[in-house]
Amino acid sequence: MHADSWAIKAKQLGLRSRAVFKLEEILQKTKVLKKGSNIVLDIGSAPGGWSELIKSLSPQAQIFAIDLLEMEPIEEVNFFQEDIANINSIDEIFLLKNKFDLVISDLAPNLSGIRAVDEENIFELNLLTLETASSYLKKDQGYFIMKTFQNSSLKKLRLTMEKSFQLVQTYKPAASKSKSGEIYLYGAKPL
Ligand SMILES: C[S@@+](CC[C@H](N)C(=O)[O-])C[C@H]1O[C@@H](n2cnc3c(N)ncnc32)[C@H](O)[C@@H]1O
């Protein structure tokens, strides 16, 4: 299917974003959502496609979502408009340190168009997200899905991730535009 067809399909289905299809494919392959309750942190959540998908697949999930931008409310999703860099200041989330089952991040920084600057910004944001996931996920079992890009820092990022996750895999979902260079890293704990 052509990349733009995913956007049309998302609109027809009344979904908030075509990003939903990317997470859906990764979840189908990794089977990380368990039956019953899952505590999930959705980083870079707006407009809310991923949170909505998790809610539909795992109705009992406790979902905490964070984004710089506003997000239209989703029933039973706890949304905080905040920079990920300030996540520790959100008491409701901070109280759940080491209690999350799954952390998902579709974060994308604003691009300047200057390649070296953009690569550095993406790397820094990915490192911050990785650090956040490591401290919020359960120590004994937890899963992490993070968007990144194929660039010169990818190997370094993956090696850093391998220090905290036993299994690290790369996914390029069908709904992800091939030209974008976007890919998703998946990590499973324990180490
Ligand atoms: C591709 S969108 C996420 C789409 C979402 N997964 C969905 O399915 O609707 C990326 C989001 O990352 C957010 N973002 C970028 N930098 C951020 C930061 N430092 N802290 C929080 N959110 C950030 C943007 O505001 C944007 O809404």
Side-chain angles (χ1 to χ4, degrees):
M1 192 150 81
H2 186 271
D4 291 335
S5 315
W6 292 101
I8 296 167
K9 187 175 169 189
K11 206 166 179 187
Q12 284 168 345
L13 293 173
L15 304 174
R16 293 182 180 217
S17 67
R18 69 184 182 87
V20 172
F21 300 114
K22 304 177 202 173
L23 182 64
E24 194 174 35
E25 184 181 324
I26 298 170
L27 291 176
Q28 269 165 8
K29 289 189 170 148
T30 55
K31 301 189 177 20
V32 293
L33 273 181
K34 49 184 171 96
K35 287 202 178 105
S37 68
N38 290 276
I39 307 184
V40 182
L41 178 60
D42 182 1
I43 303 174
S45 58
W50 282 18
S51 283
E52 221 167 44
L53 176 69
I54 298 285
K55 196 75 222 165
S56 70
L57 296 174
S58 175
Q60 292 172 43
Q62 255 184 280
I63 304 173
F64 295 82
I66 174 167
D67 202 294
L68 281 175
L69 302 177
E70 276 182 42
M71 185 169 99
E72 274 207 27
I74 302 172
E75 210 174 317
E76 291 180 54
V77 170
N78 305 284
F79 173 69
F80 301 89
Q81 187 175 359
E82 190 53 85
D83 190 317
I84 178 66
N86 301 328
I87 191 166
N88 290 340
S89 68
I90 306 169
D91 291 345
E92 292 89 332
I93 297 183
F94 191 75
L95 282 170
L96 291 170
K97 252 194 170 183
N98 294 140
K99 292 202 168 61
F100 281 85
D101 299 288
L102 173 65
V103 174
I104 51 179
S105 166
D106 202 15
L107 276 186
N110 288 329
L111 298 180
S112 69
I114 305 167
R115 197 168 161 174
V117 173
D118 289 339
E119 283 196 15
E120 185 57 24
N121 286 344
I122 290 166
F123 184 65
E124 289 302 323
L125 200 59
N126 280 147
L127 277 190
L128 180 63
T129 311
L130 180 55
E131 231 173 76
T132 305
S134 300
S135 58
Y136 278 87
L137 282 172
K138 281 179 180 163
K139 290 262 176 269
D140 53 342
Q141 195 178 29
Y143 304 98
F144 179 41
I145 294 167
M146 171 174 71
K147 173 157 78 186
T148 187
F149 294 87
Q150 282 161 333
N151 59 31
S152 60
S153 306
L154 179 59
K155 201 171 166 195
K156 200 164 42 153
L157 181 67
R158 202 185 151 126
L159 286 172
T160 311
M161 193 159 156
E162 282 168 3
K163 290 183 188 151
S164 310
F165 293 88
Q166 185 180 38
L167 174 72
V168 177
Q169 292 174 332
T170 304
Y171 287 93
K172 176 74 181 171
S176 177
K177 289 182 182 168
S178 47
K179 267 199 288 183
S180 71
E182 163 192 274
I183 54 156
Y184 290 82
L185 286 174
Y186 162 75
K189 270 184 170 217
L191 188 63

